[in-house]
Amino acid sequence: MIRRLRSGTPQPSYKAQRAQPVINPIALQPEPDGLQRKALEVSHTRLMLGLGLFTVAFVVIAARLAMVTLMPGEHDTMRVAVAPSADRADILDRNGVVLATSLTTASLYANPHQIRNPDEVAVQLAEVLADLPEASTAAKLAADKSFIWLKRNLTPKQQQAVNRLGIPGLYFQYETKRVYPQGNLTAHVVGFTDVDSRGLAGVERSFDDVLAGGQRPLTLSIDVRIQHILHEEISRAMTDFTAIGGAGMVMDIQTGELLAMVSLPDFDPARAGEATADARFNRATLGTYEMGSTFKLFNTAIGLDTGTTTLAGGYDATHAIKIGRFSIDDYHGKHRWLSIPEIFTYSSNIGSAKLADAFGAEVQRTYLQRLGMLVKSPVELAEVGEPQYPKNNWKRINTMTISYGHGISVAPIQVLPAVAAIANGGIMRAPTLLKRESHEVATGTRIISEQTSAQMRQLMRLVVQVGTGKKANAPGYLVGGKTGTADKQVGKGYSDNARMAAFVAAFPMSAPRYAVVVLVDEPKPNAHSYGYATAGWVAAPVVGALVQRMAPLMGISPIPDDSPVAQNPLVAMVADYDSAASKKAKSKVIQVSAPTKESPAADSDNDDAAPVFKAKPFGATPVSATSNDMTTPPAPEAPLETEGLPLAVE
């Protein structure tokens, strides 16, 4: 049918046809007969079986891989080289110098079950690892085990050499190794770890939890520059006097920070296991010693602070104090009445003992407790010694011998902050190995008055100017201190040929910033010391050299000798220790008997009282009692007779 459009053009008409199905030629093939059908079924079965086996194998492998990765067994972990999960934090000095850090290293282990010829492998390993013994290595490789360590922490060259051998059954595991760039220099401070990076000594031990897995470095108060100087000077003294050991520390008086801590002999912390017990022993903190006449610093401070005596007071040191079969005597004594400045400057045992006897055992014990002499130091180390003293029966004889540093054993780390407190105005601050910011500094505890501290600074300076510590003088830096030479105990008595030489100091005395303690163990006399091995010859020069080298580094300018702050008024009242004038029968100071319980100390404000020194700034002139016209000394006191313990004669 044709329809005509409006345009008049005719159009054909179509009728939709139904779609015809597409015929698959294969579908036209006839159904397979029984034999062909059976063959197809067998093939299909085999295909499915193979697919199933492949799936099972894949699942087993995947499961095993997951177990090895997520749940390692006892031996499986050793077969996989695993990098350490976390590094141990670095240890730095106060200026950012690295003292300890961790490096990733390879450690060699083996599976003996995979080693075919243990003897041959041992020989090959010994050729590239010289410190690996053939016999013991062969025995390890022949063991009935699946894992044995052969060598921990290989160097990159050693690892490469072992790799080139191409021996089946040898494996590497990556772990961290602790290294100490400063070596022996900071061994006793930093300490060391075991092969698994667990702290065993020093800061590594006391801050193990902080360092393990830590990301922030631990910054110490130590200054490696000062550490190096102190280490070098103590080493020189030990060599000069053939000493068996030495120790020393430097402390910031205002903060308690320890800038240096040296103990000799020392060791390489990377090879701590090879060091002797003596080398690993920290003499600065763990060792306890009778510190000798350095204790006269505390004894004199107690006497002045309690009002038991004044700088114008004194005691008769003509005769030794008899104690049963023994006696307290002076080393190169003056054998006359001595003023308090002379007792301190000339280091008189007799005068110190009589002063201590005047203020008594209870007062002495109370002050020594405040000074930290009767408790372990709170410094952040595990290696800290326990002080030894008469805990339950503090007798009169103990009071007298402790006055000059015998009958009580303390660690140098206890003495140093006490010296700082005596010099800094009377404030006790605990020592610390951690760097402190200004807002972190402890306020401290007052143990003596500012006046007593000012008087003690004058006395300490006097020792270096005209006393037993002249070799500690560092021109321009106003060093003050106290010597101490103590015979070492041997059994129940004291040795005649073994001594401890110590010097405690602070500087500059006009405004103290640093305190120092130096100890030399068993120095021997030599030619240039004229046969002496006392603290004035052995330890004092160490301090003098240290101060001259460290003061410029710390920004301390030298003070001219004619500067007002450099003047010490006590110099005019004490003759030089080595001069003939010091041995004269009269003192330059008007003698005033020490007050007793019936006659209390004179009040400095009482015009009728005995003249005393009023403590003022270091360079100020105190109210003195000097006279060029010597007065007659009091009659010698009768020797004190009492029962007691064996004493050393300094």
Side-chain angles (χ1 to χ4, degrees):
M1 179 178 180
I2 298 175
R3 293 183 180 180
R4 191 176 299 271
L5 300 177
R6 292 182 180 181
S7 60
T9 306
Q11 294 292 329
S13 177
Y14 298 97
K15 188 175 182 180
Q17 300 293 323
R18 189 174 184 178
Q20 299 297 319
V22 178
I23 300 175
N24 185 356
I26 298 178
L28 298 177
Q29 294 181 1
E31 291 288 332
D33 56 18
L35 187 60
Q36 289 178 328
R37 182 181 300 151
K38 185 175 181 180
L40 287 173
E41 290 176 353
V42 170
S43 299
H44 182 266
T45 301
R46 289 177 177 175
L47 180 63
M48 296 303 295
L49 181 61
L51 181 62
L53 291 174
F54 178 80
T55 302
V56 170
F58 179 81
V59 171
V60 169
I61 293 173
R64 179 60 177 166
L65 182 61
M67 290 177 63
V68 169
T69 305
L70 302 178
M71 295 177 293
E74 180 181 357
H75 304 299
D76 295 332
T77 55
M78 303 304 177
R79 303 175 61 85
V80 181
V82 180
S85 58
D87 290 335
R88 190 174 177 86
D90 291 348
I91 301 176
L92 310 177
D93 91 326
R94 65 184 305 106
N95 299 312
V97 177
V98 177
L99 305 180
T101 189
S102 298
L103 298 178
T104 300
T105 62
S107 292
L108 178 65
Y109 69 96
N111 183 346
H113 293 159
Q114 298 175 356
I115 302 297
R116 296 183 178 180
N117 191 331
D119 293 332
E120 181 180 342
V121 172
V123 172
Q124 290 178 281
L125 288 174
E127 292 176 354
V128 296
L129 302 175
D131 57 344
L132 212 58
E134 291 183 21
S136 60
T137 302
K140 289 181 180 180
L141 294 174
D144 185 19
K145 297 180 179 179
S146 59
F147 171 85
I148 51 143
W149 280 117
L150 294 177
K151 184 174 175 60
R152 306 289 289 271
N153 300 315
L154 274 67
T155 66
K157 288 185 177 180
Q158 289 175 327
Q159 182 186 8
Q160 188 177 16
V162 173
N163 261 330
R164 280 200 294 264
L165 296 176
I167 301 173
L170 298 182
Y171 303 92
F172 295 103
Q173 177 164 309
Y174 292 96
E175 51 189 358
T176 58
K177 177 185 179 181
R178 202 65 166 164
V179 295
Y180 303 93
Q182 305 304 319
N184 296 36
L185 184 61
T186 56
H188 289 97
V189 178
V190 175
F192 53 89
T193 64
D194 61 13
V195 292
D196 295 314
S197 291
R198 291 188 294 260
L200 297 181
V203 169
E204 292 276 29
R205 177 180 177 182
S206 54
F207 290 95
D208 188 54
D209 293 341
V210 175
L211 295 167
Q215 300 303 315
R216 295 182 58 187
L218 181 66
T219 302
L220 302 185
S221 59
I222 297 295
D223 187 326
V224 292
R225 301 172 301 172
I226 311 305
Q227 182 83 3
H228 172 76
I229 295 171
L230 184 60
H231 187 282
E232 192 170 78
E233 295 300 336
I234 295 177
S235 297
R236 182 178 291 113
M238 286 177 58
T239 301
D240 288 347
F241 291 92
T242 322
I244 66 171
M249 288 171 285
V250 178
M251 177 178 171
D252 187 316
I253 282 181
Q254 302 302 327
T255 67
E257 294 171 294
L258 293 168
L259 303 185
M261 178 188 289
V262 172
S263 177
L264 295 173
D266 52 22
F267 61 96
D268 183 354
R271 296 179 175 84
E274 302 172 10
T276 64
D278 185 51
R280 291 196 301 268
F281 186 82
N282 190 343
R283 282 174 162 82
T285 62
L286 185 55
T288 58
Y289 314 96
E290 291 187 339
M291 294 295 291
S293 293
T294 60
F295 258 60
K296 290 170 185 170
L297 184 72
F298 312 135
N299 189 68
T300 306
I302 296 171
L304 293 172
D305 202 57
T306 57
T308 303
T309 189
T310 68
L311 289 181
Y315 293 92
D316 182 28
T318 305
H319 300 291
I321 301 174
K322 300 296 183 181
I323 308 292
R325 296 184 298 111
F326 304 93
S327 64
I328 298 175
D329 207 348
D330 287 343
Y331 182 76
H332 289 185
K334 306 304 179 182
H335 304 295
R336 61 175 173 81
W337 186 92
L338 298 174
S339 67
I340 291 299
E342 288 175 323
I343 289 171
F344 190 78
T345 305
Y346 301 156
S347 200
S348 170
N349 295 338
I350 299 171
S352 298
K354 290 184 176 181
L355 173 58
D357 194 41
F359 56 68
E362 191 61 34
V363 169
Q364 184 184 61
R365 184 164 188 158
T366 299
Y367 270 86
L368 291 181
Q369 181 74 34
R370 294 180 190 173
L371 287 161
M373 296 296 110
L374 308 185
V375 292
K376 290 177 64 174
S377 171
V379 70
E380 303 94 343
L381 290 176
E383 303 82 21
V384 177
E386 183 83 37
Q388 301 168 41
Y389 57 93
K391 294 181 173 64
N392 299 320
N393 193 12
W394 198 298
K395 299 179 181 178
R396 183 186 183 197
I397 184 61
N398 301 125
T399 302
M400 298 176 76
T401 60
I402 287 173
S403 73
Y404 57 87
H406 283 75
I408 182 171
S409 295
V410 297
I413 188 61
Q414 293 174 259
V415 175
L416 184 61
V419 172
I422 295 293
N424 74 0
I427 303 299
M428 184 78 174
R429 290 186 177 89
T432 180
L433 280 167
L434 297 179
K435 183 179 180 180
R436 298 296 191 196
E437 300 299 335
S438 57
H439 65 278
E440 297 174 329
V441 176
T443 55
T445 304
R446 177 165 296 282
I447 56 170
I448 59 173
S449 69
E450 291 187 20
Q451 174 166 315
T452 300
S453 177
Q455 292 173 330
M456 292 307 302
R457 289 198 296 272
Q458 292 179 342
L459 290 172
M460 291 171 71
R461 178 63 180 149
L462 194 63
V463 169
V464 177
Q465 288 178 299
V466 298
T468 56
K470 288 186 289 185
K471 293 186 181 298
N473 192 43
Y477 297 113
L478 304 184
V479 179
K482 185 68 190 76
T483 53
T485 307
D487 293 333
K488 295 183 70 174
Q489 277 191 304
V490 178
K492 295 183 178 180
Y494 290 87
S495 170
D496 293 331
N497 299 311
R499 63 192 62 82
M500 195 73 68
F503 193 79
V504 296
F507 74 97
M509 283 290 98
S510 56
R513 288 183 55 184
Y514 302 103
V516 184
V517 60
V518 168
L519 186 77
V520 181
D521 194 355
E522 293 192 22
K524 313 297 188 300
N526 58 33
H528 76 260
S529 70
Y530 304 99
Y532 291 104
T534 54
W537 282 95
V538 179
V542 174
V543 174
L546 167 74
V547 172
Q548 290 187 71
R549 295 176 64 182
M550 75 167 279
L553 289 175
M554 307 309 289
I556 301 177
S557 300
I559 300 171
D561 291 341
D562 58 356
S563 171
V565 298
Q567 308 312 307
N568 186 358
L570 297 186
V571 171
M573 303 157 201
V574 178
D576 189 290
Y577 175 75
D578 297 313
S579 70
S582 69
K583 301 175 177 63
K584 290 183 177 180
K586 296 181 180 180
S587 171
K588 288 187 176 184
V589 179
I590 294 175
Q591 293 102 34
V592 180
S593 299
T596 62
K597 292 180 180 178
E598 291 75 21
S599 175
D603 189 340
S604 60
D605 294 328
N606 186 349
D607 295 334
D608 296 328
V612 297
F613 291 105
K614 293 181 179 178
K616 294 183 179 180
F618 182 74
T621 302
V623 177
S624 62
T626 59
S627 173
N628 292 326
D629 220 355
M630 305 301 175
T631 60
T632 304
E637 299 174 10
L640 174 65
E641 298 287 351
T642 182
E643 292 297 319
L645 301 174
L647 299 176
V649 178
E650 188 178 48

